[in-house]
């Protein structure tokens, strides 16, 4: 049964937005879901398609709308954006999406009266930072999907190598959702047993560098094979939304504007945080080795370099 009373807007109904809407409908997470896209036909078609499956999952009000429907939303998910065109650099794309996101934020804020903005569009760290500044909302109310997907890929790789249930694998990728991200090996454990201890006790040879390389290139491999990535991120979005709506206090590496923790300031990136109805309730300062902290600070600097370019 629906009727939990939650309302979510999804802005951008391409591969990612539509898949996230589908995932949320299967989980019957909300009672009202509005799909918004500059391509109105696309949003209408996606809403209609999802409606036709509701008899199998439960009643929800799923429709296409406009920015005025952002009023009363508990979460506004933003997955709108351009993709990289041939010959375009990452920086060109960043500038283009910053400009798209500025318009979207202004449109959201005309009608915003409550809720959390969840930024998914890339470059997600840059856009999370900019949306928080432009919206004028407190930092806890604007979060990014950050490295939630990368961490899921990390856990999936490890589960495959160790042949254990992925739910028994705990670990984070933190920092940039991009090349400078880093694994927190020192905090990675298998059902409570530290990773290094688990592999040595079980005599399993592991190439840690390969795991990290595979996590970093996973998106590219999927794009090469099927053109875009959307199921993994859709389920990441569904999980973040569930934690927000159900006030779960879930600890996950969402993207957030960091000011102070780990000695980092004025940049958005991913660190483990408590996620509940308030959005990013609290950033956790977990124990890092010196090398991990150094890598996190390097990652923050890398994000700042791009921020400096796009801010001007
Ligand atoms: P897509 O399939 O091209 O969909 C983008 C959608 O945005 C289209 O339907 C457009 O019509 C719409 N759109 C464009 N401009 C606007 C606007 N101004 N207002 C409203 N809608 C607009 O792209 P896809 O869905 O594959 O990807 C969307 C974004 O998610 C991209 O920026 C990806 O890079 C990003 N991803 C982020 C991930 C993460 O982990 N953070 C993972 C995968 C993709």
């Amino acid at each position: 049964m629906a009727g939990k009373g939650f309302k979510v807007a999804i802005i951008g109904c391409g591969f990612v937005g539509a898949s996230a809407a589908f995932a949320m409908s299967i989980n019957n997470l909300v009672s009202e879901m509005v799909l918004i896209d500059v391509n109105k036909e696309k949003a209408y078609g996606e809403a209609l398609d999802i409606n036709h499956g509701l008899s199998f999952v439960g009643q929800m009000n799923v429709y296409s709308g406009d920015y005025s429907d952002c009023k009363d939303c508990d979460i506004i998910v933003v997955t709108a954006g351009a993709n990289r065109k041939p010959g375009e650099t990452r920086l060109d794309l960043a500038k283009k999406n910053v400009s798209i996101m500025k318009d979207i934020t202004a449109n959201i804020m005309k009608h915003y009266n409550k809720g959390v903005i969840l930024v998914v569009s890339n470059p997600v760290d840059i856009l999370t930072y900019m949306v928080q500044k432009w919206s004028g909302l407190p930092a806890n109310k604007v979060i990014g999907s950050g490295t939630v997907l990368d961490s899921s890929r990390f856990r999936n790789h490890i589960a495959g190598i160790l042949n254990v249930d992925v739910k028994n694998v705990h670990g984070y990728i933190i920092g940039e959702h991009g090349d400078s991200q880093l694994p927190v090996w020192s905090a990675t454990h298998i059902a409570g047993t530290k990773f290094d201890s688990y592999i040595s006790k079980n005599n399993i040879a592991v190439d840690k560098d390969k795991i990290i390389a595979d996590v970093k290139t996973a998106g590219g491999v999927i794009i090469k094979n099927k053109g875009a990535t959307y199921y993994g991120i859709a389920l990441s979005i569904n999980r973040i939304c569930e934690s927000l709506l159900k006030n779960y206090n879930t600890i996950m590496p969402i993207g957030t504007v960091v000011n102070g923790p780990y000695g980092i300031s004025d940049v958005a990136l991913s660190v483990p945080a408590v996620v509940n109805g308030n959005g990013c309730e609290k950033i956790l300062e977990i124990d890092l080795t010196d090398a991990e902290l150094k890598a996190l600070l390097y990652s923050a600097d890398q994000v700042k370099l791009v921020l400096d370019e796009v801010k001007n």
Side-chain angles (χ1 to χ4, degrees):
M1 241 341 250
K4 299 175 193 78
F6 296 123
K7 178 180 179 187
V8 168
I10 299 182
I11 302 174
C13 305
F15 286 116
V16 174
S19 304
F22 184 51
M24 281 194 245
S25 78
I26 292 173
N27 283 295
N28 213 232
L29 202 55
V30 297
S31 58
E32 193 173 345
M33 181 157 61
V34 55
L35 306 185
I36 302 169
D37 198 294
V38 69
N39 180 345
K40 287 187 187 301
E41 289 80 14
K42 178 84 163 80
Y44 176 72
E46 296 294 358
L48 205 57
D49 203 1
I50 289 173
N51 266 283
H52 295 167
L54 292 183
S55 69
F56 306 110
V57 291
Q59 185 56 40
M60 296 168 63
N61 184 14
V62 184
Y63 58 98
S64 58
D66 57 36
Y67 283 98
S68 64
D69 295 302
C70 290
K71 186 167 181 281
D72 294 335
C73 279
D74 298 288
I75 309 173
I76 300 165
V77 184
V78 190
T79 73
N83 281 322
R84 194 142 51 124
K85 303 274 178 307
E88 223 175 25
T89 66
R90 270 173 194 272
L91 194 58
D92 292 335
L93 180 70
K95 286 184 174 165
K96 198 191 277 181
N97 279 344
V98 163
S99 148
I100 290 173
M101 198 59 76
K102 191 171 187 179
D103 278 354
I104 290 175
T105 310
N107 283 321
I108 293 172
M109 295 316 292
K110 279 182 206 156
H111 306 281
Y112 176 95
N113 59 340
K114 66 170 203 170
V116 170
I117 301 181
L118 170 58
V119 180
V120 180
S121 315
N122 276 320
V124 69
D125 303 302
I126 304 297
L127 296 177
T128 303
Y129 178 92
M130 299 306 283
V131 170
Q132 196 264 322
K133 298 292 164 208
W134 291 321
S135 66
L137 292 172
N140 63 302
K141 294 287 184 201
V142 179
I143 65 178
S145 56
T147 54
V148 172
L149 172 60
D150 311 81
S151 299
S152 179
R153 286 172 173 157
F154 178 62
R155 293 171 60 195
N156 176 256
H157 274 295
I158 292 174
I161 293 164
L162 304 188
N163 196 23
V164 293
D165 185 340
V166 65
K167 289 201 171 184
N168 289 141
V169 180
H170 296 269
Y172 305 111
I173 299 289
I174 60 172
E176 179 194 13
H177 172 65
D179 290 343
S180 70
Q181 62 182 219
L182 60 132
V184 189
W185 284 115
S186 64
T188 303
H189 64 90
I190 313 302
T193 302
K194 280 184 173 290
F195 181 81
D196 288 340
S197 168
Y198 188 94
I199 57 172
S200 95
K201 279 190 177 130
N202 289 283
N203 254 329
I204 304 170
V206 172
D207 183 344
K208 286 181 170 176
D209 291 342
K210 182 167 180 338
I211 293 176
I212 296 316
D214 286 349
V215 169
K216 277 189 197 171
T217 54
V221 171
I222 296 169
I223 289 170
K224 183 166 168 276
N225 282 278
K226 60 176 269 192
T229 76
Y230 38 94
Y231 295 138
I233 186 62
L235 287 173
S236 306
I237 294 168
N238 176 72
R239 176 70 172 131
I240 297 168
C241 289
E242 189 177 30
S243 303
L244 290 166
L245 296 172
K246 297 190 177 172
N247 207 28
Y248 275 167
N249 291 311
T250 309
I251 296 168
M252 56 179 132
I254 48 147
T256 181
V257 177
V258 181
N259 263 315
Y262 302 99
I264 294 171
S265 63
D266 203 28
V267 69
L269 44 61
S270 293
V271 282
V274 178
V275 178
N276 65 17
N278 289 326
C280 176
E281 174 70 33
K282 186 180 173 193
I283 292 174
L284 298 177
E285 281 197 87
I286 60 168
D287 292 336
L288 297 177
T289 63
D290 289 347
E292 287 163 351
L293 180 59
K294 198 170 157 207
L296 179 61
L297 296 177
Y298 172 79
S299 189
D301 285 343
Q302 295 307 109
V303 179
K304 273 188 187 171
L305 284 177
V306 182
L307 259 184
D308 288 343
E309 292 274 355
V310 300
K311 273 200 270 188
N312 304 318

